[in-house]
Amino acid sequence: MKSNKQKRILAVASAGGHWVQLLRLRPAFEAFNVEYISTLDYDESELNGKLHIVTDANISEKMKAIIMFFQVFWVLIKARPNFIITTGALPGLATILLGKLFFIKTIWVDSIANSEQLSLSGKAAKYFATVRLTQWPGLSHTDGPAYWGNVL
C-alpha cells in the first residue's frame, strides 16, 4: 500500500476567489504530493507543489474552453493524480470530468459565493464528481451536495 506521500493530489481552481478557497484547504494536503492547476501564474514557491497554468475560459468562450480541456487532459497524463479536488469553476469541472474517465476519485467544493443555489459548474459536477460539497448548510441534500463546513 502506498503511503500518503506517494499519493498525488491535483488541486484545481480558477483565479480569484476560487483560488483563495483552494489555498485555504492546503493544510489537508500536507501529507500528499500536490500539483496545482489554475488560470493565473501564482508564486510556485508558496505552494509546495508544481503549478500548471491553463487557459482561462468559460462556457460562452467555446474555443478557449476546448483549448483548456486539452491542456487539462495533458496535465492529467503527466501528473497521474490519485485524487482531484477543485473549488471551480470551468477548469475544475473539466478536470473532474476527465478524471472520471481515468477512474480518479474527485471532490467538488462549490464556491462559498453561491449561497442561494449551486453554481452552474457545481450543478454539472453532480454527474462527474465522486463527492460534491457545498459551503452552505441550506444547500445540502441527501442526494448531494453534502455540507462538511466552509473554508472561509
Side-chain angles (χ1 to χ4, degrees), residues 118-152:
L118 292 178
S119 66
L120 184 60
S121 294
K123 290 175 185 174
K126 174 180 184 176
Y127 304 103
F128 310 112
T130 308
V131 174
R132 282 186 319 136
L133 301 172
T134 176
Q135 297 187 60
W136 294 96
L139 294 180
S140 67
H141 300 284
T142 54
D143 62 339
Y147 172 76
W148 293 356
N150 61 49
V151 295
L152 289 181

Side-chain angles (χ1 to χ4, degrees), residues 96-126:
I96 64 166
L97 184 155
L98 292 168
K100 183 176 177 91
L101 298 176
F102 289 104
F103 304 101
I104 300 168
K105 301 283 187 207
T106 61
I107 301 173
W108 176 275
V109 181
D110 210 48
S111 173
I112 197 156
N114 301 308
S115 62
E116 300 291 321
Q117 63 180 359
L118 292 178
S119 66
L120 184 60
S121 294
K123 290 175 185 174
K126 174 180 184 176

Side-chain angles (χ1 to χ4, degrees), residues 6-145:
Q6 292 174 313
K7 293 184 179 176
R8 296 171 305 279
I9 291 177
L10 185 58
V12 185
S14 296
H18 295 286
W19 183 253
V20 170
Q21 290 175 65
L22 183 69
L23 292 184
R24 295 203 176 181
L25 294 171
R26 278 186 301 177
F29 310 154
E30 287 177 356
F32 300 89
N33 287 321
V34 183
E35 293 191 28
Y36 296 85
I37 293 178
S38 190
T39 56
L40 200 60
D41 193 4
Y42 292 98
D43 184 359
E44 219 173 74
S45 68
E46 295 178 9
L47 298 177
N48 197 21
K50 182 168 178 51
L51 175 63
H52 305 273
I53 308 301
V54 297
T55 301
D56 193 8
N58 61 52
I59 200 68
S60 65
E61 301 172 309
K62 306 287 189 243
M63 201 60 202
K64 282 184 169 183
I66 290 168
I67 291 167
M68 183 265 309
F69 264 84
F70 279 107
Q71 291 169 330
V72 167
F73 177 79
W74 183 244
V75 171
L76 280 173
I77 295 297
K78 290 190 313 186
R80 301 179 52 82
N82 301 97
F83 308 98
I84 297 167
I85 185 164
T86 182
T87 52
L90 189 58
L93 182 62
T95 309
I96 64 166
L97 184 155
L98 292 168
K100 183 176 177 91
L101 298 176
F102 289 104
F103 304 101
I104 300 168
K105 301 283 187 207
T106 61
I107 301 173
W108 176 275
V109 181
D110 210 48
S111 173
I112 197 156
N114 301 308
S115 62
E116 300 291 321
Q117 63 180 359
L118 292 178
S119 66
L120 184 60
S121 294
K123 290 175 185 174
K126 174 180 184 176
Y127 304 103
F128 310 112
T130 308
V131 174
R132 282 186 319 136
L133 301 172
T134 176
Q135 297 187 60
W136 294 96
L139 294 180
S140 67
H141 300 284
T142 54
D143 62 339

